[in-house]
Amino acid sequence: MTDEGSLRERLIDVGVELVLSEGSGSVGLREIARRAGVSHGAPRRYFPTHDALLSAVARRGFEDLGARFETAVAGTTTPRGQLEALARAYVGYALERRGMFELMFRHDLLDSAPQVPGRSRLRESTLPLFRHFAELVARCRRPDGPEEAEAPPAVTAAALWSSLHGIAQLWAWGSLQLALGDPPSDGGPGDARRDRLIGAVLDAHLGPVPS
C-alpha cells in the first residue's frame, strides 16, 4: 500500500475508533486529523465532505459484519442453521457495536451519491448481505411446498431482516425486556432470552423446524 493509501486507511481507523467509543456524532474531519497527528486539511484530500468520511467508516462496518457472518456459519451446513447463525451474529453485532450499527444504516449516507470518484454508493455494501439472506430463505423452502401461497424469498428475507433489526433496537433500549417482564440485559453475546426471540422470529417467517 502506498503512503497515501496508508494515510487514508489510518484516517478511517481513527474514525472507526471514534464511532465505537463516542458515537458517530463525534466523527469530524478536524478531530480525526488531530488524533491521527496530521494537519487539519489532510483528510480533505481523501474525504471532500463529512459524508464521504462517514461513508468510508460505515463501509468498514459492513466489512466487519460480513467477516462475522462467515465465522458464524462455519461448520453449519443446513440453510436454516445458517440463517439462525446469521441472525444471532447480526443482533449481537448491533448490540456490541451500537454506534457503528446506527451509522451503517443512516439513510442519508445510504441514499447519497458516491462521495469518491470510482467508488460505489454505500448502499451497494448492504446488497450482498441481503442477497445472502434471500438465498438462504429460498433454500429453506420445501420443494413440495405450495409456492403460490408463499411470498417471494426476497420479501420474506426483507421481513425477517426488519424483525431482526427491530429486536436489536428494542433490546438495546430495554423495551423488549420490559415487555417480557425481564430485568435489563447487559447485551452480551449468547443471551438465552434474546436467542429465544430470534428463534420465534425465524419460526414466524419460515415456519417451525420440521420434527
Side-chain angles (χ1 to χ4, degrees):
M1 184 181 294
T2 65
D3 290 343
E4 288 290 300
S6 296
L7 178 55
R8 183 181 186 278
E9 292 304 305
R10 181 152 60 94
L11 293 170
I12 298 174
D13 289 341
V14 174
V16 171
E17 292 170 3
L18 275 170
V19 168
L20 295 179
S21 63
E22 301 179 27
S24 60
S26 66
V27 181
L29 293 172
R30 290 178 66 88
E31 178 61 15
I32 282 184
R34 185 186 71 80
R35 295 200 180 201
V38 297
S39 68
H40 289 161
R44 292 286 183 185
R45 297 204 302 268
Y46 313 100
F47 310 107
T49 67
H50 188 228
D51 281 356
L53 171 61
L54 292 177
S55 294
V57 172
R59 197 179 297 274
R60 280 281 190 85
F62 282 111
E63 292 171 358
D64 185 17
L65 182 59
R68 292 185 182 215
F69 278 0
E70 290 184 10
T71 300
V73 300
T76 305
T77 57
T78 67
R80 179 64 172 255
Q82 290 180 358
L83 270 176
E84 184 171 356
L86 293 179
R88 292 183 179 184
Y90 184 83
V91 174
Y93 182 87
L95 296 173
E96 177 189 338
R97 302 203 150 197
R98 291 182 61 182
M100 180 65 79
F101 188 75
E102 292 170 1
L103 180 67
M104 288 161 60
F105 294 101
R106 271 181 44 174
H107 69 86
D108 56 327
L109 299 181
L110 290 168
D111 291 336
S112 64
Q115 298 292 333
V116 178
R119 292 184 179 273
S120 60
R121 291 190 304 169
L122 178 62
R123 178 180 294 280
E124 272 62 64
S125 296
T126 71
L127 296 179
L129 302 183
F130 177 73
R131 281 196 293 265
H132 190 36
F133 264 77
E135 290 166 1
L136 288 174
V137 167
R139 290 171 56 195
C140 284
R141 299 281 175 83
R142 291 184 306 166
D144 58 346
E147 293 185 9
E148 67 280 358
E150 295 181 323
V155 173
T156 300
L160 174 59
W161 183 16
S162 300
S163 297
L164 295 173
H165 205 88
I167 287 177
Q169 192 65 272
L170 292 171
W171 194 271
W173 291 337
S175 302
L176 282 175
Q177 298 92 313
L178 178 65
L180 295 172
D182 292 334
S185 166
D186 63 1
D191 188 293
R193 298 167 301 167
R194 197 170 67 239
D195 288 346
R196 285 197 298 271
L197 283 173
I198 292 172
V201 164
L202 289 170
D203 287 347
H205 290 296
L206 302 174
V209 178
S211 56

